[in-house]
Structures are given as C-alpha cells and as structure tokens.
C-alpha cells in the first residue's frame, strides 16, 4: 500500500513538474513574440503626411487600437503587416477632436520591424457642419450651396471624381459645373482637420422635366447611424431597396419628410419613386469617412472655380482702370489750369 501511495506521489509530482515546464515554455514563447516588437530592433519609417494624411480614425472617447492603422499602412507603403502594437508607454488621446500622432511598431511579412509616428484623426461624435440651399441651375450650368463653416473644405463627388469648393467669407459657394454628360447626382460633404464634419447631402439631377419633379430634395445620409432623411412631394410612393434586394415602403410624414435606418453601412443606397405612371430610380454609393476616403479627398486637385471670384477679379480690374484714367484726367486738368494761369 505504501508502495502504491509512493508511486502515486511521484507520478503527481512528475505531472505537476511537466505542467509547470510546459506552462513556462508557453509563457516564454508569448513573451518572446511580444519582445519581437521592440523599438531597439526596429527601423524608422517616416510617415507620408504631405497632404495631412491620416492613418486611422476614431470617434471621441472611443478606444483607438493598433489594428486600426493596419489597412492604411498596407495601402500607403505597399506592405503586409503581420504584427502591430503601440510603442511602450504610448497611449492614444481620443478625448479631444483633432489630428494627433502616436508611435506604432509593426512587423511585416518580410520579417522587418518598423517604427513610425503616425497621425490619426479624432472626430466629433456628431456632425457640427451643416450644408443647405444646395441647388443646380440647369440653364447657367452652375451649382451653389451654403456651408455653416466657412473654413471647412467642401467636396463634391460625382462619377467617382472629387471636386473641392472654397466658400466665401459667408460660407457661400457658386461655381460653374458643365460636364459633357450630366451625372445622376452630386454628393456633398464638408470636413476640416479639427474633427468636424457634415452629413452627406445628395442632389439628384435629371434632364427630364418630369423626373426633376419626382425627386427627394433635400436628401441627407447620416453615416453615424446609417439613416437617410429627405422631403418628397405629395402623392409620391417611396420605396427603398435593402441589401437583401427586398424593397420596403417609406411612409412620408405630413410635411413629406421621410426617414429610414439601415442595420449596417449600406454599400449602395437605392430608392424608387413613383407617381401616376411615372417612375424614377435614385441610386448612389455613399461616401464613407474612413482614412482611405479622407486621404483621397485631401489629395484631390480638382477645384471648382467660384463664379464670384471671377466677378471680384473683373471688378478689381475695372476699378483699377477707372482709377488710372481718373488720375490721368486730373493730371491733365491740373496741367491745363497751370498753363492758363501762366
């Protein structure tokens, strides 16, 4: 009996020791993988920030993770990131909107380890810029709008191309837009580097007079809650197509207001409007405020020339000519008066 007890004792001791050795080995492996991403063994990779590019985006007071930088690093540097983390003692500030930097360590598929101080954007948790009075003049081929923030950059997306609009001191913009083929819609969004942004506003266009009346104006897409809002005229049947390809009716309120929320970010927003025997389909891909889209907007070099700027330049030229002619006439008059006195 004593022999059996002794055997059991040594067996238990052996199992405990083996378990301890295995656990220590696993712990050693985990620690070793973490120590691979050390600043001492890394190579500096300078961030490309020539156009105020951002590598990650987070809403105020949310948690920023190292993985949030992965897609941007891979897209911008054409690398494959296998492991990524913040440098030791680095903590991301997400309490205040704006652009900040944090040091990131990451290992690539080639085995190289890099360190880089990368900028990230902290956005407000709700829109703080508002766009209204959006209009397109079919005769004069001009588009116009009013932004609540004159310092913000306003972008127009159409046919997968971005245009930048610089507003005047009152936040107003009026510019010439005369493409060879009129697009189905113009998508407007306002942004700045302080974490402020607007909802996406969409203006639907058509060269058909009947279809112009069969529209939603204004129309707004709120990315934060995947909601669409707008105003339709009376007696217009409105339906929205879901990602499952099923359609559901939207019942307007007394003032024609419509509201609908998607379960998740829609890739395409498609609506059907019908009145009597006329039917119109409205469709567009909403702009997603992810780092890739934000960087594309900032790199766009397609300014839409403001009409008022041209008028101002012409006015200055005319005033300069008047001033020069007027000064010349005064000098001639003074010269003639002096000769008479002599």
């Amino acid at each position: 009996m004593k022999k059996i007890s002794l055997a059991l004792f040594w067996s238990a001791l052996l199992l405990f020791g083996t378990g301890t050795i295995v656990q220590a080995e696993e712990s050693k492996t985990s620690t070793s993988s973490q120590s691979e991403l050390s600043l001492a063994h890394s190579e500096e990779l300078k961030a490309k920030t020539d156009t105020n590019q951002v590598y990650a985006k987070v809403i105020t007071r949310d948690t920023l993770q190292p993985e949030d930088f992965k897609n941007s690093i891979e897209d911008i540097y054409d690398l494959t990131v296998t492991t990524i983390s913040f440098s030791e003692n680095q903590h991301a500030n997400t309490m205040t909107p704006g652009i900040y930097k944090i040091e990131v360590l990451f290992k690539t598929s080639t085995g190289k380890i890099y360190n880089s101080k990368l900028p990230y954007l902290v956005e407000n948790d709700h829109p703080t810029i508002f766009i209204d009075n959006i209009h397109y003049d079919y005769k004069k081929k001009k588009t116009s709008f009013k932004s609540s923030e004159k310092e913000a950059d306003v972008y127009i997306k159409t046919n997968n191309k971005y245009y930048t609009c610089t507003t005047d001191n009152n936040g107003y913009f009026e510019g010439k837009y005369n493409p060879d083929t009129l697009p189905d819609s113009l998508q407007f969004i306002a942004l700045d580097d302080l974490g402020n942004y607007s909802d996406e506003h969409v203006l639907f266009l058509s060269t058909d007079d009947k279809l112009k009346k069969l529209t939603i104006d204004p129309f707004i897409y709120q990315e934060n809650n995947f909601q669409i809002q707008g105003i339709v005229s009376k007696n217009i049947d409105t339906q929205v197509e879901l990602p499952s390809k099923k359609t559901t009716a939207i019942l307007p309120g007394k003032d024609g207001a419509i509201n609908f929320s998607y379960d998740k970010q829609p890739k395409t927003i498609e609506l059907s409007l019908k009145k009597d025997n006329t039917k119109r389909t409205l469709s567009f891909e909403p702009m997603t405020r992810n780092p890739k889209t934000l960087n594309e907007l900032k790199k766009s070099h397609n300014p839409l020339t403001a009409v008022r700027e041209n008028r101002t330049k012409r006015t200055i030229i005319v005033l300069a000519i008047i001033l020069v002619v007027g000064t010349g006439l005064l000098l001639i008059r003074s010269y003639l008066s002096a000769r008479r006195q002599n």
Side-chain angles (χ1 to χ4, degrees):
M1 187 70 179
K2 289 183 178 179
K3 291 182 178 180
I4 296 173
S5 299
L6 189 61
L8 290 173
F9 171 76
W10 285 110
S11 298
L13 186 62
L14 180 62
L15 289 171
F16 177 78
T18 304
T20 304
I21 293 171
V22 172
Q23 185 177 2
E25 185 64 29
E26 290 176 350
S27 177
K28 183 179 179 181
T29 301
S30 175
T31 305
S32 175
S33 65
Q34 290 293 331
S35 64
E36 286 180 358
L37 293 180
S38 64
L39 193 61
H41 299 89
S42 64
E43 177 183 334
E44 184 181 3
L45 188 65
K46 292 185 178 181
K48 297 179 181 179
T49 57
D50 52 335
T51 56
N52 289 329
Q53 289 185 334
V54 293
Y55 287 69
K57 192 202 75 169
V58 64
I59 299 296
T60 50
R61 293 178 292 277
D62 281 356
T63 302
L64 184 69
Q65 301 289 351
E67 290 77 12
D68 296 333
F69 292 82
K70 184 176 181 292
N71 289 337
S72 294
I73 293 173
E74 292 182 336
D75 288 341
I76 295 173
Y77 293 104
D78 194 22
L79 298 171
T80 300
V81 177
T82 57
T83 312
I84 188 168
S85 70
F86 293 141
S87 295
E88 189 177 0
N89 299 324
Q90 291 281 308
H91 300 283
N93 171 31
T94 64
M95 297 302 295
T96 308
I99 293 180
Y100 303 92
K101 288 185 178 181
I102 189 168
E103 190 169 48
V104 178
L105 291 172
F106 56 93
K107 185 178 181 180
T108 67
S109 58
T110 62
K112 285 189 175 182
I113 302 173
Y114 296 97
N115 72 82
S116 186
K117 288 186 177 181
L118 301 179
Y120 63 94
L121 174 66
V122 181
E123 276 192 345
N124 272 299
D125 57 1
H126 62 279
T128 52
I129 304 175
F130 306 96
I131 305 174
D132 52 20
N133 298 330
I134 299 176
H135 177 69
Y136 183 73
D137 191 319
Y138 290 90
K139 293 182 179 180
K140 297 181 180 180
K141 310 298 181 183
K142 295 187 301 184
T143 185
S144 59
F145 62 85
K146 177 76 164 56
S147 172
S148 63
E149 180 53 64
K150 62 182 181 180
E151 301 297 333
D153 295 316
V154 182
Y155 301 92
I156 298 178
K157 178 187 176 184
T158 176
N159 292 336
N160 294 320
K161 186 175 182 179
Y162 298 108
Y163 295 92
T164 56
C165 304
T166 303
T167 62
D168 62 16
N169 292 331
N170 297 314
Y172 180 77
F173 177 85
E174 181 182 17
K176 196 78 173 179
Y177 180 68
N178 184 23
D180 295 333
T181 302
L182 195 68
D184 295 330
S185 63
L186 298 176
Q187 299 167 238
F188 298 77
I189 192 169
L191 305 162
D192 66 15
D193 291 332
L194 301 176
N196 300 302
Y197 58 92
S198 71
D199 287 324
E200 183 177 349
H201 294 249
V202 183
L203 181 65
F204 298 104
L205 304 176
S206 177
T207 55
D208 189 314
D209 290 336
K210 288 185 178 180
L211 296 183
K212 287 179 185 178
K213 298 178 181 179
L214 201 62
T215 189
I216 305 176
D217 188 21
F219 182 87
I220 300 172
Y221 172 63
Q222 298 178 333
E223 182 182 339
N224 286 13
N225 53 13
F226 314 137
Q227 185 179 48
I228 57 176
Q229 296 179 333
I231 302 292
V232 296
S233 301
K234 292 182 179 180
N235 302 322
I236 292 182
D237 296 329
T238 307
Q239 291 187 332
V240 60
E241 183 176 294
L242 303 175
S244 61
K245 298 303 179 182
K246 292 183 178 180
T247 58
T248 181
I250 305 178
L251 298 178
K254 293 182 179 179
D255 55 353
I258 60 169
N259 292 275
F260 180 81
S261 295
Y262 293 84
D263 294 333
K264 59 182 180 179
Q265 172 78 41
K267 184 178 180 180
T268 302
I269 292 178
E270 186 170 318
L271 302 117
S272 297
L273 306 181
K274 185 178 180 181
K275 185 176 182 180
D276 300 328
N277 295 325
T278 305
K279 185 177 180 180
R280 183 182 184 185
T281 299
L282 306 176
S283 179
F284 71 97
E285 293 184 3
M287 288 185 277
T288 304
R289 293 191 319 276
N290 55 27
K292 185 175 183 179
T293 301
L294 293 175
N295 292 334
E296 285 179 357
L297 290 173
K298 291 177 181 180
K299 289 190 297 182
S300 62
H301 299 290
N302 298 307
L304 206 61
T305 305
V307 175
R308 287 193 173 186
E309 286 184 2
N310 292 336
R311 290 177 180 173
T312 301
K313 290 179 182 178
R314 287 198 298 268
T315 302
I316 292 174
I317 294 173
V318 171
L319 289 175
I321 293 173
I322 293 174
L323 182 61
V324 171
V325 172
T327 303
L329 292 175
L330 288 174
L331 291 174
I332 293 172
R333 183 178 178 182
S334 299
Y335 173 74
L336 294 176
S337 297
R339 288 196 61 183
R340 292 195 195 99
Q341 291 177 0
N342 294 334

